[in-house]
């Protein structure tokens, strides 16, 4: 009989379902890479305009077109990794190769020439963005799918995602300081040089950390699965049909659709106003004086990440094991709404330290989102196998889930600029009117609070409880044995 261990929720589970610390650490390193690449990309993209003279409209196209390309590549990569059989497993070879390609092409992406023509830099950046997107998809989609299958235990899934997302928050502690480093004349002779040089360090870190889950983490062996599609050039057209069939099956899964909807709402609301805090700190608290503002915005972002990693995520993991994942999401999202409201009093010109006051409550929103949603998506994969059989589709579920996140990011960029325009904000002005600042502060609170409330409504009838998830797992074991 296999060894049994007691969990924090009080139930017994097989010791083999616990993920070893070295594997959790490796998966956390991959999660850090998963966050660091888009975080750095977002900061560096700002300097397309200021350092390389790119027209703002063209810069917007360079940000949006690769996201559309993602919509095509993500589901295809999900299908490929779900149906791959190799001596190293379904996910790991792609993760290692994808991490290397992501780092190499991220570095190449930012070796733009500030003296070159705008047309040259546009096409250079667009071509390498698309190549980088392929490499990043090759890394990210199998990586996310690997996390869903590293354990079949209901609560261990949450603990794994909590550990990984705690490490992932390190990226958001670092990224805000890229603004400071790139613009520092004591470090770099120009912003262009700062982007070029710093991209090399980011690329090196992503390659080093990104290959670790491919080397050390273990997923489900494809030899345990039947009904796999053949992956080859001869089967391209039949495989495309299977891709669309898999997508249709995924969207028939009602619990998963709720997870996607809630994620889209919470993340889109958060991202839409992400830049507003910077403008409020500069123009409301320091009267438009960038010199006086100093590093306060960077510290605001860094402290948010620190609180999320070391305070909020452990609390959410405990809540999930105590009260269930759905209830933990509802509670943590409700807490974040209170935090958003406290920003009205936190951004106090007479006391800059007050900006940190709302952070512990606000952080429950994003901290709870990815920790719980990724754990619940792993449960949904069991449900899909019971409904649709083999092969298991962790890669497809991961691709569709993160596609919702990327669509939310793209929409947030568009709507964020629209909101700034509606409130009459002029980032080029030395000062803003009282009415503009007031409206901007209200939008900074109302938008994420509203989307968070709507996400709670979406998840209110989520019914894949711990009891149901464990019953599904037991039924699967009866049907095909342990994987």
């Amino acid at each position: 009989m296999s060894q049994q261990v007691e969990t924090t929720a009080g139930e017994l589970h097989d010791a083999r379902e616990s993920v070893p610390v070295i594997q959790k650490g490796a998966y956390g390193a991959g999660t850090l890479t998963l966050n660091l690449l888009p975080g750095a990309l977002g900061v560096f993209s700002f300097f397309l305009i200021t350092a390389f003279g790119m027209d703002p409209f063209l810069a917007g196209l360079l940000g949006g077109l690769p996201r559309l390309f993602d919509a095509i590549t993500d589901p295809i990569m999900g299908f490929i990794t779900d149906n791959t059989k190799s001596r190293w497993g379904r996910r790991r070879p792609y993760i290692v190769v994808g991490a290397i390609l992501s780092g190499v092409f991220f570095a190449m992406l930012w070796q733009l020439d500030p003296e070159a023509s705008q047309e040259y830099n546009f096409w250079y950046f667009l071509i390498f963005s698309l190549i980088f997107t392929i490499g990043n998809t090759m890394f990210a989609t199998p990586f996310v799918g690997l996390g869903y299958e590293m354990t079949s235990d209901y609560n261990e899934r949450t603990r794994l995602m909590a550990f990984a997302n705690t490490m992932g928050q390190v990226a958001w502690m670092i990224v805000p300081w890229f603004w400071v480093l790139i613009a520092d004349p004591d470090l770099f002779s120009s912003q262009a040089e700062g982007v070029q040089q710093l991209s090399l360090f980011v690329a090196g870190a992503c390659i080093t950390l990104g290959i670790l889950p491919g080397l050390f983490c273990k997923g489900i062996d494809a030899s345990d699965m039947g009904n796999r599609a053949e992956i080859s050039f001869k089967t391209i057209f039949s495989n495309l049909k299977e891709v669309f069939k898999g997508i249709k099956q995924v969207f028939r899964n009602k619990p998963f659709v709720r997870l996607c909807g809630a994620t889209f709402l919470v993340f889109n609301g958060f991202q839409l106003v992400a830049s507003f805090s910077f403008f409020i700190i500069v123009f409301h608290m320091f009267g438009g004086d960038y010199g006086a503002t100093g590093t306060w915005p960077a510290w605001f972002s860094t402290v948010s990440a620190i609180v999320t990693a070391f305070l909020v995520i452990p609390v959410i993991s405990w809540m999930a094991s105590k009260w269930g994942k759905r209830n933990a999401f509802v509670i943590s999202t409700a807490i974040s709404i209170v935090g958003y409201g406290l920003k009205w009093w936190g951004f106090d010109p007479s006391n800059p330290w007050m900006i940190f006051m709302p952070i512990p409550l606000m952080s429950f929103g994003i901290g709870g989102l990815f920790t719980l949603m990724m754990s619940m998506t792993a449960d949904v994969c069991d449900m899909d196998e019971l409904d649709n059989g083999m092969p298991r589709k962790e890669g497809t579920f991961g691709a569709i889930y993160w596609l919702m996140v990327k669509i939310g990011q793209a929409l947030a960029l568009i709507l964020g600029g629209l909101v700034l325009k509606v409130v009459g904000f002029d980032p080029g002005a030395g000062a803003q009117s009282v009415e503009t600042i007031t409206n901007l502060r209200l939008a900074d609170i109302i938008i994420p609070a509203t989307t968070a409330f709507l996400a709670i409504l979406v998840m209110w009838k989520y019914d894949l409880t711990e009891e149901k998830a464990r019953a599904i797992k037991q039924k699967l074991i009866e049907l095909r044995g342990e994987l």
Side-chain angles (χ1 to χ4, degrees):
M1 182 179 294
S2 62
Q3 181 186 2
Q4 302 288 309
V5 295
E6 189 77 19
T7 71
T8 55
E11 82 281 354
L12 292 172
H13 79 276
D14 196 320
R16 291 175 302 176
E17 295 166 347
S18 296
V19 179
V21 173
I22 190 170
Q23 291 192 42
K24 285 182 178 176
Y27 195 75
T31 305
L32 200 165
T33 302
L34 196 68
N35 289 336
L36 182 58
L37 282 171
L41 193 65
V43 173
F44 286 16
S45 293
F46 171 82
F47 293 98
L48 280 173
I49 300 171
T50 61
F52 298 101
M54 190 69 66
D55 178 84
F57 174 74
L58 294 179
L61 284 178
L62 291 174
L65 291 176
R67 302 289 77 75
L68 296 176
F69 190 52
D70 259 346
I72 301 171
T73 58
D74 282 3
I76 293 174
M77 189 65 229
F79 175 83
I80 292 173
T81 184
D82 283 339
N83 289 277
T84 292
K85 182 178 180 180
S86 78
R87 60 184 294 187
W88 301 286
R90 299 193 295 167
R91 322 285 185 196
R92 296 164 67 191
Y94 298 118
I95 292 171
V96 172
V97 174
I100 295 171
L101 291 178
S102 295
V104 169
F105 285 109
F106 182 85
M108 294 181 68
L109 181 65
W110 294 104
Q111 303 311 306
L112 292 163
D113 182 0
E115 303 299 324
S117 69
Q118 180 172 259
E119 182 180 4
Y120 173 86
N121 278 339
F122 175 85
W123 287 108
Y124 176 96
F125 193 89
L126 180 60
I127 291 169
F128 277 104
S129 285
L130 297 178
I131 299 173
F132 165 75
T133 297
I134 294 173
N136 192 233
T137 296
M138 189 180 292
F139 165 76
T141 300
F143 171 76
V144 173
L146 178 65
Y148 294 154
E149 64 186 29
M150 285 174 64
T151 176
S152 62
D153 183 75
Y154 181 84
N155 285 312
E156 183 68 1
R157 284 169 169 165
T158 304
R159 287 188 283 270
L160 170 63
M161 296 306 170
F163 190 98
N165 279 293
T166 295
M167 291 186 64
Q169 286 298 314
V170 173
W172 303 110
M173 300 175 198
I174 297 170
V175 164
W177 295 94
F178 290 170
W179 297 93
V180 179
L181 296 174
I182 291 171
D184 189 344
D186 294 329
L187 290 176
F188 305 108
S189 61
S190 67
Q191 291 181 356
E193 182 188 339
V195 169
Q196 292 165 346
Q197 295 296 318
L198 198 56
S199 69
L200 300 178
F201 290 98
V202 172
C206 288
I207 292 173
T208 303
L209 297 172
I211 65 174
L212 295 181
L215 297 177
F216 296 105
C217 295
K218 294 182 179 180
I220 295 174
D221 189 344
S223 62
D224 292 334
M225 299 185 183
N227 300 323
R228 289 182 299 105
E230 180 186 349
I231 306 296
S232 70
F233 287 109
K234 295 180 180 179
T235 60
I236 288 176
F237 291 107
S238 61
N239 285 347
L240 285 175
K241 292 180 181 178
E242 291 299 317
V243 170
F244 289 114
K245 179 182 175 182
I247 293 172
K248 287 174 65 177
Q249 288 178 345
V250 162
F251 278 109
R252 287 196 196 107
N253 191 306
K254 292 182 179 178
F256 180 69
V257 171
R258 291 186 180 276
L259 296 181
C260 287
T263 299
F264 178 84
L265 286 165
V266 172
F267 191 67
N268 188 40
F270 173 82
Q271 284 287 100
L272 201 154
V273 302
S275 65
F276 292 6
S277 294
F278 173 80
F279 293 129
I280 292 170
I281 292 173
V282 173
F283 291 96
H284 174 60
M285 297 179 60
F286 292 95
D289 186 340
Y290 284 90
T293 301
T295 58
W296 283 104
W299 279 114
F300 180 80
S301 299
T302 298
V303 170
S304 296
I306 291 173
V307 170
T308 301
F310 301 112
L311 173 62
V312 170
I313 290 178
V315 171
I316 289 170
S317 181
W318 175 84
M319 288 196 302
S321 65
K322 194 75 173 176
W323 301 317
K325 300 174 189 178
R326 175 261 184 193
N327 292 334
F329 174 81
V330 169
I331 293 169
S332 61
T333 305
I335 291 172
S336 74
I337 293 174
V338 177
Y340 291 131
L342 289 176
K343 292 172 81 173
W344 185 261
W345 294 275
F347 290 98
D348 183 356
S350 66
N351 185 2
W353 292 97
M354 287 290 287
I355 64 172
F356 302 119
M357 183 261 292
I359 286 176
L361 300 184
M362 285 168 47
S363 299
F364 272 85
I366 295 299
L369 182 67
F370 292 114
T371 299
L372 296 169
M373 291 303 188
M374 292 185 70
S375 177
M376 285 190 273
T377 303
D379 301 331
V380 164
C381 292
D382 288 342
M383 183 179 181
D384 176 75
E385 184 194 342
L386 186 62
D387 291 340
N388 299 304
M390 291 287 192
R392 288 176 64 91
K393 294 193 285 290
E394 286 91 351
T396 301
F397 276 98
I400 299 300
Y401 178 83
W402 282 96
L403 185 58
M404 294 297 103
V405 172
K406 292 171 183 176
I407 291 174
Q409 285 179 311
L411 189 59
L413 290 172
I414 297 170
L415 294 180
L418 179 61
V419 172
L420 287 173
K421 186 176 181 65
V422 168
V423 301
F425 185 80
D426 181 4
Q432 309 292 330
S433 69
V434 174
E435 181 183 5
T436 293
I437 291 296
T438 300
N439 290 336
L440 184 63
R441 295 182 65 202
L442 288 173
D444 187 44
I445 294 169
I446 293 173
I447 290 173
T450 301
T451 57
F453 177 73
L454 292 174
I456 291 174
L457 296 182
V458 168
M459 289 296 292
W460 196 258
K461 292 187 177 180
Y462 178 86
D463 60 356
L464 189 49
T465 62
E466 178 174 358
E467 292 75 17
K468 187 173 180 179
R470 291 188 181 281
I472 290 172
K473 174 187 171 183
Q474 187 58 41
K475 182 66 174 177
L476 290 173
I477 293 174
E478 293 171 4
L479 290 172
R480 45 83 167 141
E482 292 273 7
L483 290 180

